[in-house]
Amino acid sequence: MAGQHQCPFVSRESWKKSGGSMHSTVHLLSPMQNPLPCPSNQTVAWLLGLSGVHAGEDFRITVGEMYVGSGWDSSLVLTIPEVSRRHGKFTSARGICLLEDNGSATGVFVNGEKISEPRPLNHGDRVRMGVGEFLFFNAEVNEMDGRRSLETFKDFRACSNATAGWLVCTTGDLAGLDFRLRPGPNKVGSLPGLDVTLPDLNLNSIHFTLDCSLQRFYLRPGFASLRVMRAGVEVDSSVLTDGDSLEIGSLRMILRVV
């Protein structure tokens, strides 16, 4: 992705503007995510595409109400057959994410069952809308969910160029935002055009690199301060695991691994 993002740093208010803004929010989130305004910056979950044009992509779900459908006025836009303009709706609050059918022509299915009322989603649930199938990935770190992920998400990891994971910021002006990690080396720093650009004056141009594969996440620090915390205890580790916390200057970020 280096070289694709030529946007200078923008204010937090600019991140919330629509895709018509001079500085689209898309370069601060995952490249495939819809840059339309969201009720909140806080990431609560992702939809992971399993098939068709969205295979390997992730769609960010935030606090509040978000519509999903084929219409460009939807928060999550799906360009697949048999999806209505506003096919379904996500409602997220207090760690619970509800999915409901919004009067679609073909229905919404969770784990193969057509739903007729709002359904709370669990980590690893399979969601089908139109001819597209997706996996629900909870942003909260849960030990049981982590063990379940090894088998549940193998179909997604097999997709070409699938998302490998995310860095989710929990402090400061970036709190609640997620940053997508791709298979291979991911350069993280303050320089525009990196795989993960963090507009923080305390960060070096290239602060560190995360090498991501299906087997492991390997941390290669630059000449900068970087602490790795695991279960609240500082560790001296180059191989990261799901739920590890990275303290980068004044920022704190949680690693989520697919």
Side-chain angles (χ1 to χ4, degrees), residues 168-182:
V168 183
C169 192
T170 61
T171 59
D173 285 343
L174 301 179
L177 290 179
D178 71 273
F179 299 83
R180 169 187 283 178
L181 301 171
R182 287 292 199 178

Side-chain angles (χ1 to χ4, degrees), residues 43-49 57-61 90 97 121-127 134-142 145-146 148-150 152-153 156-157 163-166 168 242-243 255-258:
T43 301
V44 297
W46 299 272
L47 273 189
L48 309 181
E57 294 181 11
D58 68 299
F59 293 85
R60 180 175 182 251
I61 301 174
F90 291 96
C97 184
L121 295 176
N122 297 311
H123 187 70
D125 280 350
R126 287 181 177 249
V127 175
F134 303 85
L135 283 167
F136 179 79
F137 193 104
N138 197 330
E140 290 189 2
V141 179
N142 182 290
D145 289 345
R148 189 186 307 150
S149 297
L150 294 175
T152 303
F153 295 95
F156 176 76
R157 292 195 297 268
T163 300
W166 307 268
V168 183
D242 188 31
L255 174 68
R256 292 306 330 257
V257 177
V258 178

Side-chain angles (χ1 to χ4, degrees), residues 208-211 217-221 226 228 237-240 246:
F208 64 95
T209 300
L210 274 176
D211 289 320
F217 277 59
Y218 188 81
L219 174 68
R220 289 194 282 119
L226 178 65
V228 178
S237 176
S238 296
V239 178
L240 303 181
L246 303 180

Side-chain angles (χ1 to χ4, degrees), residues 44-82:
V44 297
W46 299 272
L47 273 189
L48 309 181
L50 286 177
S51 61
V53 296
H54 296 303
E57 294 181 11
D58 68 299
F59 293 85
R60 180 175 182 251
I61 301 174
T62 61
V63 170
E65 294 184 349
M66 298 185 70
Y67 287 93
V68 55
S70 60
W72 294 106
D73 57 344
S74 294
S75 302
L76 304 180
V77 178
L78 303 180
T79 56
I80 52 180
E82 300 181 14

Side-chain angles (χ1 to χ4, degrees), residues 61 64-69 75-76 86-92 97-104 108 115 117-119 121 129:
I61 301 174
E65 294 184 349
M66 298 185 70
Y67 287 93
V68 55
S75 302
L76 304 180
R86 282 199 168 185
H87 198 97
K89 184 176 74 171
F90 291 96
T91 305
S92 304
C97 184
L98 299 176
L99 173 61
E100 61 184 289
D101 190 338
N102 193 53
S104 67
V108 175
I115 63 173
E117 56 186 20
R119 172 76 63 91
L121 295 176
M129 286 175 275

